[in-house]
Amino acid sequence: MKLATLNSDSPDGRLVVVSEDNTHCVAADGIAPNLLAAVEDWINVAPQLLALSDALRSGEVKNAVAFDPASARAPLPRSWQWLDGSAFPQHGELMQKAFNLPPIDSGRPLMYQGMSDRFYGPSDAVPFLSEKAGIDFEGEFGVIVDTVPMGTSAKDAMAHIKLIVQINDWSLRAVAPVEMKTGFGFVNAKPACSMAAVAVTPTELGDAWKDGRVHLPLHVEWNDKRFGEAIGDEMEYGFHELVAHAANSRELVAGTIIGSGTVSNKNYADVGSSCISERRAIDMIDFGEARTPFMSFGDTVRMEARSTEGQALFGPIYQTVIQN
Amino acid sequence: MKLATLNSDSPDGRLVVVSEDNTHCVAADGIAPNLLAAVEDWINVAPQLLALSDALRSGEVKNAVAFDPASARAPLPRSWQWLDGSAFPQHGELMQKAFNLPPIDSGRPLMYQGMSDRFYGPSDAVPFLSEKAGIDFEGEFGVIVDTVPMGTSAKDAMAHIKLIVQINDWSLRAVAPVEMKTGFGFVNAKPACSMAAVAVTPTELGDAWKDGRVHLPLHVEWNDKRFGEAIGDEMEYGFHELVAHAANSRELVAGTIIGSGTVSNKNYADVGSSCISERRAIDMIDFGEARTPFMSFGDTVRMEARSTEGQALFGPIYQTVIQN
């Protein structure tokens, strides 16, 4: 099943069920007004949405309309909680090697809480105050959970993962190291993220969802030039383990989004990277200096996870950086 | 003007206007259903709430009922964003001295984003999984803002501070240093906070609100024994500066709560502390070892800011720690 959110008078938008190929959708706001409400009552709502999805698949739905994943909103235009991990060890290793940092060896997942009151839609222009902030994208995957009780095990957490999403975690690199050094984590360095239009159930991902990881390449283009297509399977901790980690001392509210951190692979020399910061780290290692600049106003970034069969998945993120 | 939230079918509760002495209230949900909605439309809603508050003050309101600040909910039982500072330099100095840490000298306010999907009411029992987590309270003040545009100056931020609240920022000390060391900040170490019942406008605080600081002692009792009464005026950065810092790279959503961090004073030997962790740091400095334990299941903490005239302000927080 695939779900998306169309624009409406509500800040939470209007829920639709999307066809397998992302070309059609049908209103689902008679079942739940928006995706947040759907996830809050998933046990009752999901069977109805699934029935509608099946009907759409079999052509039984009369009121289906054309769907454009570029013009939809984020599946969750806002949510109560966004916890972002950094679960790809290759990314950490490159950053440490380049900047001569000690390894972060806490024996537990890395995670910070980011702003969740706004997620940009896949085609929204994204405003920043200054290019000097070191504007960067971070291509990643995320999951949306229903209510997760405090102390839930990783094994039990798996069943709480209801939807998978594709995220661009906008990052400001000039301030990130300053904030990391305080130990308090990122606030200024992490403004609002963006989400691709379509949220996909684990079942719908099929073989691409395994061990709590998304086994798909995330194609990233910067100013329409190939930047990378790292695969989501090299997470040190699966999403179920990230969910359990987050729920270690709190009940996770329904609609919580948990992020993987920037997708990064061991064979980065072949597959490239999912953020400029990592590319600059590779520059440092290769040339002794960071040669790749950060983004300028007017720059674009495109991100799209693709299946090997070229099947439509989450839809593209394709955004322009603008001056606020 | 004083506002509070009573229990209702809505997760956001029901808005009431509270009398100056916290003994009576009148329903205000005809003006705005809840406090979050009120702050989202403050420019239109505030004059109506003020008129109701004036009427309550002058005895013109017929449908006033008894109000008990202990039985109300948090003014915001949930909000889209909670950003907590650590603005009292004395607290930082004691922690650094005790644990032989380098000073955090970033030349900017310390701040992390914490969970905002749940704020406990002032008398709610607070569940934790284990006493081994190092259960601690943190007495602090906070402010609630309306929408703050990205890049707002500290001077302009002052006018966005609509309400002042009193907060207990529950903290788990066994994991806090581990999370700080990663640079990613607190997730497991910072479960849900609690709020005293009454949110107070800056005007209502009178002389006690000055330079973006709350010039009031925060009386803290642990198991009904005096623990401290540090004063809120020694913040290195005023709340307006914390708000501007938070809005440095993001628009702050209406209803954002910004915290001061644990209230701490230079004359801590006389006024005591607002969290156990600081007391343990003082133990370390005085005796070479932390003699004060963290909280046990069944322990209580009471927090109440009082004016010099003994005037009722935010109402007490009085909570029991329980096993989840």
Side-chain angles (χ1 to χ4, degrees), chain A residues 118 187-188 245 249-251, chain B residues 118 187-188 245 249 251:
Chain A
R118 172 182 302 184
V187 176
N188 289 171
H245 175 74
S249 67
R250 65 179 70 177
E251 180 180 281
Chain B
R118 173 184 299 185
V187 175
N188 290 171
H245 174 74
S249 67
E251 180 180 281

Side-chain angles (χ1 to χ4, degrees), chain B residues 185-241:
Chain B
F186 312 110
V187 175
N188 290 171
K190 295 285 188 178
C193 300
S194 311
M195 259 192 248
V198 184
V200 180
T201 55
T203 310
E204 183 80 25
L205 274 189
D207 290 345
W209 175 251
K210 208 162 47 188
D211 309 320
R213 291 160 174 86
V214 180
H215 295 248
L216 291 169
L218 184 60
H219 294 264
V220 179
E221 293 176 2
W222 177 14
N223 291 332
D224 301 318
K225 289 194 198 91
R226 180 256 187 199
F227 193 81
E229 58 275 331
I231 298 175
D233 62 350
E234 289 185 23
M235 289 165 76
E236 183 177 1
Y237 300 95
F239 276 112
H240 56 308
E241 292 167 299

Side-chain angles (χ1 to χ4, degrees), chain B residues 257-295:
Chain B
I257 308 155
I258 307 266
S260 66
T262 192
V263 178
S264 176
N265 290 165
K266 283 194 188 74
N267 61 338
Y268 60 85
D270 297 325
V271 301
S273 298
S274 306
C275 68
I276 297 173
S277 186
E278 182 175 301
R279 171 72 67 85
R280 286 166 60 91
I282 297 166
D283 286 353
M284 292 279 288
I285 294 163
D286 289 352
F287 314 119
E289 60 177 6
R291 294 185 176 175
T292 313
F294 288 113
M295 295 183 91

